[in-house]
Amino acid sequence: MGKNSITRIHYLDNIKWLLTIVMMMHYVFIYTQEMYPKYKENFDNVSSLDQTFFIDFFFLISGYFVIPSYLKKGQKLFNKDKIIRLGSVILFTIFIVNYIHYHISKQNDSIGYQVWLFDHLVNLQWKNIIGSSWFCWMLLIFTLIWSQFSKNKSFNKNHCLPLPTYTHMLFFCFFMIPFNFIALLLSYKCNNDFLGMYNIKYFPTYASVFYLGIISYQNKWFDKIDFKYGFFGFILFSFFYCLENGWILIGCHFNNAIFRTFCSVGMILFLLYVFKIYFYQSNKMTRMLSKSSYLACAFSFILIVTLIHFFIQHFSIHPWLLLLLTSTVVIISYFILSISLYRLTNVRG
């Protein structure tokens, strides 16, 4: 198996750690809104905005680096590495992190954690079991399926497919609507926690952007995104985000799963262009933040719940200031823990 190297792309590093900050703030918004029901609608507006793209972007970046890793390690070692690295996070979350989270939040104290865990397992509602490592679970599924059906010889060919035109991108997004709708119906039937596929209604978009990341690497599409594509992405995101929220067809709201692909692709194009132009440089600190950005994901909920439960809820300050304070402390704590784990395990991102 031949080796394949990839030059570190600094703007992708910057996207990774900045999106990690967005992710942590998103979770803080979710937890804090329970303390302030009057502000729930305002908090929901903020969290619904960032929720339309940041997880999708993580899947895109993960897909982008699949091929070089696969070529370097070979299929067996590649699969083994993914199972160990991602699987260990999932198991650690189930048996350590969620156990601590369970007792901190004092959920169903009378039945005990083991009974609670078994009950969710047999009911196939695994989201609460997998917790914040659901992204690792989905990424493991996508990666192993791709590996199973991949033919290595095709990766070494000189691919030169042009970046899809605006028309092709629109066609792809419209093509995804029926799949998004089916996934939405499935979420009503099976619940959003089914088999740990958190928000299963977004599953088609998650899978599609993961694959887009793979073919973007093959064809160097990220290098070809210019101002026109960035502006097109901004318009695409803005229009369909306003459409699904009833701001274009007044009073006519759509479930955000229907037009998810439009919003996701639009914001991906826009952010890729912005970061390529304005955030293309990095230093030792930003590279460290990028490499360690995923490592403490399993601890994110413990950080947030512990901080809110034992400290923040006792503060008598304005909810927005409370949110800012909580987010700042959680983000700093998260990266301190992530960098510590990175140095301890010497994991390379």
Side-chain angles (χ1 to χ4, degrees):
M1 186 70 63
K3 289 186 177 182
N4 190 69
S5 61
I6 180 170
T7 303
R8 193 157 200 98
I9 304 176
H10 298 309
Y11 68 84
L12 289 184
D13 283 344
N14 292 330
I15 288 176
K16 281 173 64 178
W17 67 265
L18 283 172
L19 284 181
T20 300
I21 291 177
V22 172
M23 176 185 72
M24 298 306 297
M25 294 188 68
H26 175 81
Y27 291 145
V28 170
F29 268 91
I30 292 176
Y31 271 82
T32 308
Q33 70 182 15
E34 298 176 2
M35 298 168 52
Y36 298 99
K38 293 182 179 180
Y39 287 83
K40 185 179 186 304
E41 184 176 352
N42 293 328
F43 290 171
D44 279 344
N45 289 336
V46 176
S47 59
S48 66
L49 175 63
D50 59 53
Q51 190 265 347
T52 58
F53 65 88
F54 76 88
I55 291 295
D56 310 65
F57 223 125
F58 282 138
F59 279 116
L60 179 87
I61 294 175
S62 299
Y64 189 84
F65 292 105
V66 158
I67 290 179
S69 177
Y70 183 91
L71 291 174
K72 180 180 179 180
K73 299 174 182 177
Q75 185 183 50
K76 290 184 178 180
L77 185 58
F78 173 83
N79 290 345
K80 180 181 177 181
D81 178 67
K82 292 300 180 184
I83 291 173
I84 291 175
R85 293 183 65 181
L86 297 175
S88 61
V89 174
I90 296 169
L91 292 176
F92 183 78
T93 302
I94 294 173
F95 294 107
I96 303 297
V97 174
N98 278 355
Y99 180 81
I100 298 172
H101 182 199
Y102 178 89
H103 287 288
I104 289 177
S105 56
K106 296 181 179 179
Q107 301 179 62
N108 303 315
D109 254 355
S110 59
I111 65 172
Y113 181 71
Q114 292 80 3
V115 176
W116 175 86
L117 180 63
F118 178 78
D119 182 57
H120 281 73
L121 277 173
V122 297
N123 289 323
L124 303 182
Q125 303 301 310
W126 295 356
K127 169 56 181 68
N128 287 334
I129 296 176
I130 295 174
S132 56
S133 65
W134 71 268
F135 174 82
C136 297
W137 172 235
M138 290 293 93
L139 185 58
L140 181 61
I141 292 175
F142 293 161
T143 303
L144 293 181
I145 291 176
W146 173 84
S147 175
Q148 184 66 31
F149 292 97
S150 295
K151 296 180 180 178
N152 178 61
K153 291 183 180 180
S154 64
F155 302 147
N156 293 319
K157 294 180 180 179
N158 184 23
H159 290 265
C160 56
L161 294 177
L163 186 65
T165 64
Y166 309 135
T167 303
H168 289 152
M169 290 183 182
L170 283 172
F171 177 81
F172 166 72
C173 292
F174 277 110
F175 175 78
M176 289 298 298
I177 288 179
F179 297 98
N180 293 338
F181 184 71
I182 292 172
L184 177 62
L185 295 179
L186 189 61
S187 72
Y188 292 143
K189 184 71 175 179
C190 301
N191 199 325
N192 268 326
D193 297 344
F194 181 67
L195 294 180
M197 292 185 283
Y198 180 54
N199 277 330
I200 193 173
K201 61 184 180 178
Y202 304 141
F203 190 88
T205 299
Y206 290 157
S208 64
V209 294
F210 174 77
Y211 185 67
L212 281 176
I214 294 174
I215 59 177
S216 293
Y217 171 81
Q218 289 179 282
N219 300 289
K220 296 179 171 57
W221 281 351
F222 287 1
D223 297 339
K224 302 171 184 177
I225 295 175
D226 56 16
F227 171 79
K228 292 181 180 179
Y229 277 95
F231 183 71
F232 169 76
F234 178 76
I235 296 299
L236 188 66
F237 171 83
S238 300
F239 178 82
F240 283 96
Y241 182 75
C242 292
L243 179 63
E244 69 184 19
N245 282 282
W247 300 336
I248 293 179
L249 301 177
I250 306 300
C252 185
H253 293 258
F254 297 88
N255 188 287
N256 60 6
I258 303 299
F259 300 119
R260 174 77 179 203
T261 312
F262 291 92
C263 294
S264 176
V265 170
M267 186 56 75
I268 284 172
L269 286 172
F270 175 67
L271 288 181
L272 281 175
Y273 171 75
V274 169
F275 275 78
K276 275 178 58 180
I277 300 302
Y278 299 105
F279 302 97
Y280 60 89
Q281 294 181 336
S282 67
N283 52 45
K284 185 177 180 180
M285 176 57 71
T286 57
R287 288 193 294 272
M288 178 65 72
L289 291 175
S290 174
K291 291 176 181 179
S292 62
S293 58
Y294 296 156
L295 292 183
C297 65
F299 294 94
S300 58
F301 282 112
I302 286 186
L303 288 172
I304 297 170
V305 172
T306 301
L307 186 65
I308 292 177
H309 184 77
F310 292 107
F311 300 102
I312 299 299
Q313 68 173 350
H314 303 295
F315 284 43
S316 298
I317 58 177
H318 193 278
W320 287 104
L321 291 177
L322 181 73
L323 249 172
L324 180 61
L325 173 63
T326 307
S327 299
T328 302
V329 176
V330 166
I331 290 166
I332 293 174
S333 303
Y334 178 89
F335 277 112
I336 289 175
L337 180 58
S338 291
I339 292 174
S340 300
L341 289 173
Y342 173 82
R343 293 187 179 278
L344 181 65
T345 60
N346 198 32
V347 175
R348 299 302 177 189

